[in-house]
Amino acid sequence: MAERRLTRVTSFDVAEAAGVSQSTVSRALAGDPSISAPTRQRVMEAARKLNYQVDENAARLRRGKTGTLAVVMVCRPGQDRKDLNPFYYALLGSTCAAASARGYEVLVSFQDSETNFWGHYQERRKADGMIVIGTSENTAAWDYFGSLPEGSNWVCWGATHDSFPWVRSDNHAGATLATRHMLVRGYRQIVCLGSETSPQRQFKERYDGYAAAMKSAGLEPVLQRIERGLPREEQGRLATAALIDSGRPFDGLFGVSDEIALGALKELASRGYVVPDQIGVVGFDGVRAGAWSTPPLTTVESDFEVAGSLLVERLLAMIAGEKPATQRVPVRLVVRGSTRP
């Protein structure tokens, strides 16, 4: 029995079947308005019968586009990728979904040191633009991305400088919301676990929101500083231990991130404090682990779907030559068991 060979259908085959030129096939399938409706219909019918598939990559490259967006996840130097803040994984997922909904593929890389910093996707025609997400603690990474050539299309979450093209949560409003929630629940001596000098600019914004709510209630804002360079949960645990050991009275803790607040919950439990009866705890970020802590963590959650969409939309606007304004992602309070009912 003779062996049957499968041959790849080309635009030449479609052109021959439709009785037009190859360039007409290309323009008809691309939706070129200069092609008449009857001709376009004839080309599409021939392509359907022959099961012709357009080579999207080749078509994009001819138009000077790759149809791909790069997403760089910035890690701490030497950090195991599985230990990356779960907030960033959630943001990565929503960003990929937003890009896919707009017809783009996504190229993801994890970068943590000068040995693997790389952002020249646009010049090498690997991607049309880049989204950078990750910790502000890796200042070398942000220095690198901040020095990319003029004309580079990129946006970021976690920027160390306001001059970068950023998208952020509404940190001030979220922290104010969290603090007012605790005040309404009867907590008065609320301490913020965070930093006003961290490269994480959102930490300063969250402290300012907390402080504004405390002052408007006629109360003194108190900052218990976290130690730089440690995992967030350990920062929260150590800051809580230092606060307890200092003898300063407190009945509420606002952690500027969920992981810091989760560390605080562990330290409070080890010291015999009852949450939420004696101490109330609220975090910020809305990470999944907070729903399963003991007790479940009350938190301020960013709208991840909106965050991913805004990152992609701002990047696509830059690619189109526009200069979109910086944008804030709306937040909401998620009340769980770490504050009084």
Side-chain angles (χ1 to χ4, degrees):
M1 182 177 177
E3 196 177 280
R4 184 181 178 185
R5 291 188 177 181
L6 295 175
T7 57
R8 180 174 176 271
V9 178
T10 67
S11 60
F12 176 81
D13 300 312
V14 177
E16 190 175 55
V20 298
S21 67
Q22 281 183 271
S23 64
T24 298
V25 169
S26 298
R27 286 184 291 134
L29 295 177
D32 190 328
S34 68
I35 303 298
S36 68
T39 300
R40 180 180 296 107
Q41 184 61 37
R42 196 163 69 250
V43 169
M44 292 179 69
E45 182 63 20
R48 186 189 64 79
K49 288 181 178 179
L50 293 170
N51 196 28
Y52 173 68
Q53 303 295 321
V54 177
D55 186 338
E56 290 291 347
N57 288 332
R60 288 164 179 162
L61 288 173
R62 283 195 297 272
R63 296 193 298 267
K65 302 295 182 183
T66 67
T68 299
L69 302 179
V71 178
V72 174
M73 303 294 287
V74 175
C75 312
R76 293 170 182 262
Q79 183 180 36
D80 192 318
R81 303 311 186 239
K82 68 177 175 56
D83 295 329
L84 192 65
N85 188 330
F87 172 86
Y88 295 129
Y89 279 118
L91 187 55
L92 171 63
S94 65
T95 301
C96 290
S100 178
R102 289 156 181 78
Y104 280 82
E105 296 180 352
V106 178
L107 178 64
V108 180
S109 69
F110 291 79
Q111 303 182 20
D112 66 353
S113 67
E114 293 180 359
T115 59
N116 57 35
F117 290 157
W118 202 77
H120 298 281
Y121 297 94
Q122 191 177 333
E123 299 98 303
R124 301 290 178 85
R125 300 189 73 181
K126 290 180 176 292
D128 299 326
M130 177 177 63
I131 297 170
V132 182
I133 298 170
T135 177
S136 301
E137 296 291 337
N138 193 334
T139 53
W142 292 101
D143 289 344
Y144 169 82
F145 291 111
S147 65
L148 289 174
E150 187 175 349
S152 297
N153 296 321
W154 74 293
V155 298
C156 60
W157 185 290
T160 54
H161 300 290
D162 282 336
S163 60
F164 291 170
W166 54 262
V167 173
R168 290 184 194 144
S169 295
D170 195 343
N171 295 300
H172 191 284
T176 301
L177 184 65
T179 308
R180 287 176 178 167
H181 165 76
M182 298 184 81
L183 291 169
V184 169
R185 295 308 190 270
Y187 302 104
R188 309 300 288 174
Q189 297 172 311
I190 306 168
V191 175
C192 177
L193 305 179
S195 171
E196 78 277 50
T197 59
S198 168
Q200 296 271 23
R201 299 187 72 82
Q202 61 264 34
F203 285 4
K204 175 65 164 60
E205 293 176 352
R206 292 172 188 179
Y207 171 73
D208 288 345
Y210 149 83
M214 291 292 283
K215 289 176 182 176
S216 68
L219 300 171
E220 178 191 4
V222 177
L223 176 65
Q224 182 66 43
R225 291 176 176 82
I226 56 175
E227 294 184 36
R228 284 195 63 182
L230 298 173
R232 294 288 180 223
E233 194 168 300
E234 185 67 2
Q235 287 177 329
R237 190 188 69 77
L238 291 177
T240 303
L243 176 62
I244 294 170
D245 294 341
S246 73
R248 173 185 282 274
F250 68 98
D251 63 2
L253 295 175
F254 168 57
V256 294
S257 82
D258 276 353
E259 290 195 302
I260 289 173
L262 290 171
L265 281 178
K266 288 186 176 180
E267 185 63 21
L268 290 171
S270 72
R271 300 283 189 119
Y273 288 90
V274 179
V275 178
D277 295 341
Q278 290 178 279
I279 310 291
V281 181
V282 178
F284 198 122
D285 279 339
V287 301
R288 293 289 183 185
W292 307 106
S293 61
T294 305
L297 180 66
T298 295
T299 185
V300 175
E301 180 181 73
S302 298
D303 188 320
F304 287 105
E305 184 176 348
V306 171
S309 293
L310 288 180
L311 283 166
V312 171
E313 287 170 5
R314 181 162 193 198
L315 179 58
L316 295 182
M318 293 179 71
I319 292 171
E322 302 170 13
K323 292 185 177 179
T326 54
Q327 293 174 295
R328 297 277 182 178
V329 175
V331 297
R332 68 187 183 100
L333 184 70
V334 180
V335 180
R336 298 192 182 116
S338 65
T339 49
R340 294 175 190 138

